[in-house]
Amino acid sequence: MDEAHIRNFCIIAHIDHGKSTLADRLIEKTGLLTAREMQDQVLDNMDLERERGITIKSQAVRLVYRAQNGEDYILNLIDTPGHVDFHYEVSRSLAACDGAVLVVDAAQGIEAQTLANVYLALDHDLEVIPVINKIDLPSAEPDRVAHEIEDVIGIEAMDAPRISAKQGVGIEDVLEEIVNKLPPPSGSPDKPLKALIFDSLYDSYRGVIVFMRIVDGSVKKGDKVRFMATGSVNDVVEVGTFGAGRFLPCEELESGMVGYLTASLKDLKETRVGDTVTLADNPCEEALPGYRKVSSMVYCGIYPADSAKYPDLRDALEKLQLNDASLVFEPETSAALGFGFRCGFLGLLHLDIIQERLEREYDLDLVTTAPGVVYKIFKTDGSEMELTNPANMPDPSEIEHMEEPVVAAEIMVSTEFLGAIIKLCQERRGIQTGMEYLETTRVLLKYDLPLNEIIYDFFDALKSRSRGYASFDYELKGYVPSELVKLDILINREYVDALSFIVFKDSAYERGRRMCERLKEEIPRHLFEIPIQAAVGGRIIARETVKAVRKDVLAKCYGGDISRKRKLLEKQKEGKKKMRQIGTVEVPKEAFLSVLKLDED
Amino acid sequence: MDSRPLSIYIHIPFCVRKCAYCDFLSFPPSGNNIELYMEALLEEIGQMPQLDRSYRVKTVFIGGGTPSCLPPFYISEILCKLKSALVLEASAEITMELNPGTADRESLASYKRAGINRLSIGCQSTDPAILKRLGRIHTREDFFQVYQEAREVGFDNINVDLISSAPGETCDIFQRSLSEIISLKPEHISVYSLIIEPGTPFHQAYGEGKLDLPDEDTVERIDEITGTCLAQAGYQRYEISNYAMPGRECAHNQVYWNREPYLGLGLGAASLLINPNAPYGRRFSNTRDLREYLASPGRVLSEDRVLCKREAMEEFLFLGLRQTGGIEEDSFLRAFGESLLQVFGREIEKQVSQGFMVRDSGRYFYTDRGLELSNILMSEFLD
């Protein structure tokens, strides 16, 4: 099929505005699958994604649509992750498209992610067509939202299809808009192969499956291809396109097409998202722009609750990494927690997902230390280091200065909560960089915020201080110098490495005090008194005490029922087994996350 | 005659009303429940389906529930039936529990005639407000009267049960209760520190934060008062909650703590039998389901397990150490053919060094503080 009959597009939306549902309907309407074959949401493969309602891995599907003009079109729908953690992956997915369908909730209107995604799409020169979804809702105001789209984003929206993806209303209109308003691809079939990798998948039979958009040229089985960033050269075993949820092998992929290739690749690391694929013998002149190596934003220690499960944890992480190149980990040892791994993630959601998959799919019981960001340390001897584990922080006398990562955040909020949100951002050391009234009642706030102030609970705080209405998006901006110290915790006068964390100097006292209070609640009373102390550079700045147990005795053995007594003692013993031994103190694993809850009041 | 000593526990699950702290297997009688139950119980006593060999009975304990809420002739029938099934030692200790709200001179006399030679009276407190909070059906006057009458009909071995640290209790209230009991000079006094058990009204109130339990300091002082007052009056503490005049310790309860065999009869009653098939003991319990019990008394079990050596060793410790006399290295060696210190030495040494346990010529026992923390300490002996 010629390029004029191909449309490569994605759907962009704020979370919960109905992206996945619309994708389902488009697939259904184009008749690739019978209704019976439809899973609820075809694009979201993993159970976890379905439960969270978030699409994690981008995927693609090829739709065959006969338009009202009687001609058949191939519509390649490239799905994009919808969360800020996966910003780079989103940008690569968008780069593979020529247009985007913007879904906006007819009741909620434009939200922070709507804007962020639209700007990203416009940055990639995509044609954006708006669609107003959820017109079935009683609170729907499609006309108001259409005005909002025109006013805020500045794209034509009066004629935007008014649809209900849930009820299947207006889906045909969306398909016609895609055919009529989105541009066809404009590559050159005669140039050397140039293809963009926007995703990849590990399959235990075929190895790595590379998802790509052919920009110029063509590729077929037997070709020798080169991945330009990694330099890896491989023979193509198979090429094909995407059915709904399955792979459809074909002879050749030509410019403008979206498809996959396999080449007996064993390691996902050879095929990085954003890399350019070309022919080894007839390479293109230069790679596509925009490639960068994704780096971890958030680190934490993950340990098996039962130290005998260390090899199981390693195997599980290795398996997860096969399909998620952005997960990094390396072994580390903690005096308190034993053998485990320091793991790096794109963001806190990514961390959450990995942790849940480890616990659910691999049945592991984990102890996780507080997540932290990557700090840069400039030492007095002129050297520079990246700090991902507070335990490795050099002595303050060796530190010339430190830098911490800062994000550029955009928060959309209605004016009634503006004061509360500004206060929150100030508390988190935010610097306001802009404030725009989108409408009389809605404001777009722009802040530079230190990443370590938002990774724990910023989103929750934002929601609770705006009764759920504020929306939020951010992007890493860079590093700035900062006054940072390591806060140590001592339990029964012993340093607990797994509880140390890096904190802004002026917040250290408050954090330390709360940390001690929190740990006092978490640590059960023992046969002896346990002091809990917070220290900065060896100086104690806060202290609490877990008092000794006064009494724990079973007064009566009813009628000789000894089994009951045994069960009680066993329960006592069992409770103890779930704890971590630090010196002579048993610490429940929850305590290691108590640093996260410091801001709950 | 080749017979071994055995103790018998007989469970009477009926109570006029359930107390607010009680989680034991008891309920108010309804319809002809009592008749049906007694018929079944007497059948079980007659047949004793779980009994594995011949025994002579050294102690009998009729507990509940409230045995005294039965028509008194049933107590006589129970003991008659028991005597026809097994030989009772002449000196056998035969105890029955009694609620002051359900006994009078006539019933007491009838218990005496039936062969009961020890009474355990559930007084719990002499303070009217505390009695009410606990949900007891009797008044302080009921208790004093029943106690007086029991003495008059000739009971010369009486235990009085007290509960300490009840909601609303102060040191003064408790001390008054205890002194009043001591002044009656019962042979035996049990003081049970209140435990909030799941499933009880107290537990619910506790969960809702509505239970005004005495604070830790008060509980500690109440425990001190218990120890000093009873000691001054000549009572010796011989177990966590039990105090007796010399020679008046409850033989039946000591059977439990020394892992001697006993057979429980009646709903939910627990047993320990030791025989060649179960050299370390077989513990089993009758069903706790009344209908099942009535249909087949003593033949439906809710739990039945043969203990392994390790379990028996652990029991030896966590039961033996309840007693102030503690455990003896020699008896451990005799019972298991292994040395106590070889099996538990490390933990024992630790507890001795922490000051919770004392070693005295081959005997180990808990200090007062050790007894107070015994749940935590004993759990360390479990595998």
Side-chain angles (χ1 to χ4, degrees):
Chain A
M1 197 167 293
D2 63 278
E3 287 193 336
H5 289 86
I6 295 176
R7 299 290 181 274
N8 295 319
F9 74 105
C10 59
I11 306 177
I12 55 179
H14 187 73
I15 190 165
D16 286 340
H17 280 196
K19 186 174 83 168
S20 295
T21 318
L22 177 59
D24 288 353
R25 291 290 173 261
L26 294 178
I27 292 165
E28 212 173 50
K29 272 286 179 205
T30 48
L32 257 184
L33 288 177
T34 65
R36 218 163 62 90
E37 284 172 326
M38 292 286 299
Q39 283 175 289
D40 266 2
Q41 296 187 344
V42 174
L43 285 181
D44 292 354
N45 255 347
M46 287 183 278
D47 285 350
L48 195 61
E49 288 183 23
R50 187 149 315 155
E51 270 174 44
R52 289 172 170 266
I54 297 166
T55 306
I56 301 164
K57 285 298 273 183
S58 67
Q59 280 177 264
V61 61
R62 194 188 65 154
L63 316 173
V64 181
Y65 175 63
R66 173 155 298 174
Q68 283 168 5
N69 63 15
E71 294 174 36
D72 284 342
Y73 289 84
I74 286 180
L75 312 181
N76 288 306
L77 166 56
I78 295 166
D79 198 22
T80 59
H83 191 275
V84 286
D85 278 6
F86 306 102
H87 227 295
Y88 175 70
E89 298 191 346
V90 177
S91 84
R92 294 304 85 200
S93 293
L94 294 179
C97 301
D98 304 299
V101 173
L102 169 69
V103 181
V104 183
D105 184 305
Q108 292 182 8
I110 292 172
E111 296 284 357
Q113 284 170 23
T114 315
L115 272 190
N117 284 320
V118 167
Y119 293 147
L120 206 52
L122 296 175
D123 281 350
H124 288 88
D125 294 326
L126 300 194
E127 186 70 31
V128 176
I129 49 172
V131 165
I132 299 171
N133 189 23
K134 302 199 189 181
I135 55 164
D136 55 305
L137 290 180
S139 55
E141 295 176 88
D143 292 339
R144 180 186 70 78
V145 169
H147 275 291
E148 195 179 66
I149 294 170
E150 295 206 335
D151 293 350
V152 177
I153 302 172
I155 57 173
E156 168 69 37
M158 283 312 150
D159 300 329
R162 270 78 162 159
I163 70 162
S164 164
K166 194 171 136 203
Q167 298 183 345
V169 176
I171 306 305
E172 192 90 9
D173 298 344
V174 178
L175 288 163
E176 285 298 318
E177 291 269 311
I178 291 168
V179 167
N180 295 325
K181 295 207 173 153
L182 293 186
S186 56
S188 310
D190 307 325
K191 283 190 184 172
L193 173 66
K194 187 191 259 188
L196 172 71
I197 301 180
F198 62 87
D199 199 1
S200 54
L201 185 76
Y202 184 82
D203 179 281
S204 44
Y205 298 105
R206 285 181 282 196
V208 180
I209 301 172
V210 179
F211 293 26
M212 56 189 186
R213 152 79 190 267
I214 313 293
V215 179
D216 293 325
S218 66
V219 61
K220 59 182 185 302
K221 182 178 168 178
D223 283 349
K224 201 179 270 295
V225 291
R226 175 197 297 277
F227 301 103
M228 294 179 79
T230 61
S232 167
V233 174
N234 298 276
D235 292 326
V236 175
V237 173
E238 181 183 310
V239 296
T241 58
F242 306 104
R246 69 184 101 102
F247 297 99
L248 307 171
C250 65
E251 284 298 309
E252 187 171 35
L253 290 174
E254 295 172 328
S255 69
M257 291 176 82
V258 169
Y260 68 89
L261 70 77
T262 66
S264 304
L265 293 158
K266 292 284 163 256
D267 194 346
L268 223 50
K269 285 177 189 139
E270 291 173 60
T271 60
R272 299 216 182 101
V273 168
D275 197 359
T276 304
V277 187
T278 191
L279 290 176
D281 305 332
N282 181 20
C284 57
E285 281 177 13
E286 58 182 20
L288 291 156
Y291 169 79
R292 66 181 160 91
K293 201 179 159 196
V294 284
S295 54
S296 304
M297 301 260 271
V298 175
Y299 279 82
C300 77
I302 293 184
Y303 292 80
D306 172 1
S307 48
K309 292 280 172 72
Y310 174 78
D312 298 13
L313 176 59
R314 188 190 52 222
D315 290 351
L317 283 167
E318 279 170 1
K319 279 187 188 136
L320 286 179
Q321 202 181 38
L322 282 179
N323 257 325
D324 184 350
S326 51
L327 166 68
V328 301
F329 59 90
E330 60 182 42
E332 72 171 3
T333 317
S334 149
L337 299 174
F339 293 106
F341 295 93
R342 176 101 335 213
C343 303
F345 306 93
L346 298 175
L348 214 59
L349 175 79
H350 189 211
L351 183 162
D352 252 18
I353 288 167
I354 295 294
Q355 193 183 340
E356 247 182 272
R357 291 187 66 185
L358 287 170
E359 290 187 325
R360 198 186 300 193
E361 294 170 29
Y362 298 92
D363 199 25
L364 290 165
D365 196 8
L366 304 174
V367 182
T368 313
T369 66
V373 302
V374 184
Y375 297 98
K376 283 186 180 164
I377 298 181
F378 297 85
K379 295 167 81 170
T380 47
D381 64 6
S383 65
E384 186 186 330
M385 69 178 274
E386 288 200 338
L387 184 72
T388 56
N389 181 353
N392 298 337
M393 178 141 156
D395 189 87
S397 65
E398 294 171 27
I399 298 174
E400 202 266 312
H401 80 281
M402 285 178 73
E403 291 186 357
E404 65 176 331
V406 169
V407 299
E410 291 191 344
I411 301 162
M412 198 171 292
V413 64
S414 63
T415 44
E416 65 179 302
F417 303 114
L418 186 60
I421 299 305
I422 288 177
K423 185 159 174 281
L424 172 68
C425 291
Q426 284 169 350
E427 285 166 15
R428 303 301 177 97
R429 301 190 279 135
I431 295 167
Q432 201 181 86
T433 57
M435 182 159 98
E436 283 171 42
Y437 278 78
L438 302 177
E439 295 166 88
T440 47
T441 56
R442 295 227 298 170
V443 180
L444 178 69
L445 277 173
K446 294 184 178 175
Y447 268 91
D448 284 352
L449 283 158
L451 182 61
N452 87 344
E453 295 285 342
I454 61 172
I455 57 170
Y456 301 143
D457 59 347
F458 184 76
F459 196 62
D460 292 339
L462 195 69
K463 288 282 176 192
S464 73
R465 295 196 196 186
S466 64
R467 286 197 224 125
Y469 287 119
S471 58
F472 169 58
D473 195 77
Y474 70 80
E475 201 177 7
L476 188 65
K477 188 171 179 180
Y479 276 76
V480 297
S482 181
E483 292 281 321
L484 299 159
V485 293
K486 182 166 78 136
L487 184 67
D488 291 312
I489 297 294
L490 293 85
I491 294 179
N492 208 21
R493 298 183 182 82
E494 279 190 46
Y495 278 92
V496 185
D497 57 359
L499 286 172
S500 294
F501 57 102
I502 308 288
V503 63
F504 182 61
K505 194 177 168 196
D506 293 352
S507 318
Y509 168 73
E510 185 61 16
R511 286 273 194 154
R513 193 179 59 76
R514 289 200 189 178
M515 187 78 184
C516 290
E517 283 170 8
R518 182 65 68 168
L519 285 169
K520 184 186 170 184
E521 287 165 30
E522 297 276 0
I523 296 175
R525 293 168 71 177
H526 281 54
L527 294 171
F528 45 89
E529 192 176 277
I530 305 165
I532 297 172
Q533 297 157 303
V536 170
R539 193 168 56 89
I540 304 295
I541 58 168
R543 177 188 163 123
E544 291 283 339
T545 305
V546 179
K547 287 190 192 152
V549 191
R550 303 273 281 267
K551 184 169 175 172
D552 189 348
V553 56
L554 183 66
K556 190 168 185 169
C557 282
Y558 283 117
D561 187 353
I562 306 306
S563 305
R564 185 176 147 146
K565 161 104 179 158
R566 171 179 278 278
K567 276 176 203 146
L568 187 120
L569 293 176
E570 276 170 355
K571 208 170 140 195
Q572 192 131 20
K573 181 99 181 178
E574 205 49 47
K576 213 172 157 174
K577 270 189 192 158
K578 291 198 180 129
M579 309 236 191
R580 280 286 169 162
Q581 182 100 23
I582 292 177
T584 49
V585 181
E586 320 279 340
V587 180
K589 62 175 204 161
E590 291 74 24
F592 295 97
L593 277 177
S594 51
V595 62
L596 287 185
K597 303 176 193 157
L598 292 182
D599 294 293
E600 286 170 11
D601 287 318
Chain B
M1 190 177 59
D2 174 32
S3 65
R4 293 189 188 179
L6 179 73
S7 287
I8 298 284
Y9 173 78
I10 293 171
H11 190 63
I12 308 297
F14 303 107
C15 270
V16 173
R17 188 178 74 207
K18 211 165 168 75
C19 299
Y21 55 86
C22 174
D23 78 328
F24 203 35
L25 184 52
S26 65
F27 38 83
S30 65
N32 59 347
N33 262 358
I34 291 192
E35 291 81 61
L36 291 175
Y37 182 77
M38 291 312 296
E39 200 179 302
L41 177 64
L42 291 168
E43 180 188 324
E44 190 191 1
I45 297 173
Q47 299 179 350
M48 297 199 193
Q50 304 297 337
L51 207 60
D52 49 7
R53 48 165 293 141
S54 77
Y55 289 100
R56 63 198 146 80
V57 176
K58 69 175 232 180
T59 70
V60 179
F61 196 101
I62 306 176
T66 310
S68 58
C69 77
L70 295 176
F73 70 88
Y74 276 130
I75 301 299
S76 157
E77 280 198 34
I78 288 169
L79 292 177
C80 281
K81 196 82 173 185
L82 195 61
K83 280 175 204 161
S84 67
L86 290 170
V87 177
L88 261 65
E89 289 180 2
S91 61
E93 174 193 278
I94 304 172
T95 308
M96 114 174 224
E97 288 184 326
L98 184 148
N99 183 309
T102 58
D104 54 26
R105 185 184 299 270
E106 202 178 319
S107 61
L108 287 163
S110 124
Y111 301 148
K112 183 91 178 95
R113 280 197 302 279
I116 301 290
N117 57 25
R118 184 173 181 271
L119 286 182
S120 178
I121 305 177
C123 169
Q124 317 311 0
S125 175
T126 61
D127 184 85
I130 299 286
L131 286 174
K132 209 168 162 198
R133 277 306 297 277
L134 291 172
R136 300 294 294 177
I137 59 162
H138 60 86
T139 61
R140 61 177 260 121
E141 292 75 22
D142 288 339
F143 165 71
F144 286 115
Q145 186 173 344
V146 161
Y147 186 89
Q148 188 58 38
E149 288 170 348
R151 286 300 192 203
E152 284 166 18
V153 305
F155 281 103
D156 60 4
N157 196 5
I158 295 180
N159 165 58
V160 176
D161 273 353
L162 275 180
I163 285 178
S164 68
S165 300
E169 191 156 62
T170 61
C171 292
D172 287 349
I173 295 175
F174 177 75
Q175 178 141 30
R176 217 163 33 236
S177 253
L178 184 60
S179 305
E180 284 188 321
I181 303 296
I182 288 174
S183 68
L184 298 174
K185 298 197 166 76
E187 286 68 27
H188 189 287
I189 297 177
S190 301
V191 184
Y192 296 110
S193 200
L194 180 70
I195 290 180
I196 306 301
E197 300 283 5
T200 61
F202 271 5
H203 191 263
Q204 180 166 358
Y206 180 73
E208 292 164 4
K210 291 181 190 156
L211 203 61
D212 52 336
L213 290 173
D215 61 32
E216 287 190 327
D217 289 336
T218 310
V219 171
E220 197 168 284
R221 270 186 293 147
I222 284 177
D223 290 345
E224 280 166 22
I225 292 167
T226 307
T228 45
C229 290
L230 286 167
Q232 273 168 16
Y235 292 91
Q236 279 173 6
R237 186 185 201 182
Y238 69 101
E239 194 258 3
I240 288 172
S241 312
N242 287 287
Y243 302 79
M245 288 297 183
R248 295 298 194 141
E249 296 82 8
C250 175
H252 185 82
N253 277 339
Q254 288 175 311
V255 164
Y256 296 152
W257 303 321
N258 293 329
R259 301 192 74 249
E260 292 165 35
Y262 57 94
L263 183 66
L265 301 165
L267 189 66
S271 304
L272 171 68
L273 293 180
I274 295 165
N275 59 45
N277 291 327
Y280 299 110
R282 169 186 166 223
R283 290 202 181 273
F284 57 94
S285 294
N286 275 342
T287 175
R288 297 170 69 84
D289 181 309
L290 183 61
R291 254 182 310 177
E292 279 185 353
Y293 179 74
L294 294 180
S296 188
R299 293 178 197 279
V300 187
L301 303 180
S302 72
E303 201 179 340
D304 187 1
R305 54 189 272 113
V306 172
L307 302 178
C308 68
K309 188 177 187 178
R310 172 77 199 187
E311 289 170 316
M313 286 174 168
E314 290 169 1
E315 285 189 4
F316 184 96
L317 269 81
F318 73 67
L319 295 172
L321 286 168
R322 291 183 67 84
Q323 305 174 85
T324 53
I327 52 173
E328 283 178 333
E329 276 178 280
D330 285 354
S331 2
F332 188 91
L333 187 63
R334 266 200 308 281
F336 302 110
E338 288 185 56
S339 136
L340 174 67
L341 290 182
Q342 228 146 45
V343 187
F344 295 106
R346 206 166 131 197
E347 189 56 36
I348 287 178
E349 294 300 341
K350 185 172 160 197
Q351 297 188 5
V352 169
S353 73
Q354 288 171 322
F356 298 125
M357 196 185 272
V358 176
R359 174 185 191 157
D360 180 24
S361 53
R363 180 178 283 280
Y364 293 87
F365 55 89
Y366 278 137
T367 58
D368 285 356
R369 176 105 179 104
L371 288 175
E372 291 300 293
L373 299 169
S374 55
N375 275 353
I376 298 171
L377 297 172
M378 288 169 173
S379 72
E380 293 297 334
F381 293 117
L382 297 197
D383 205 7

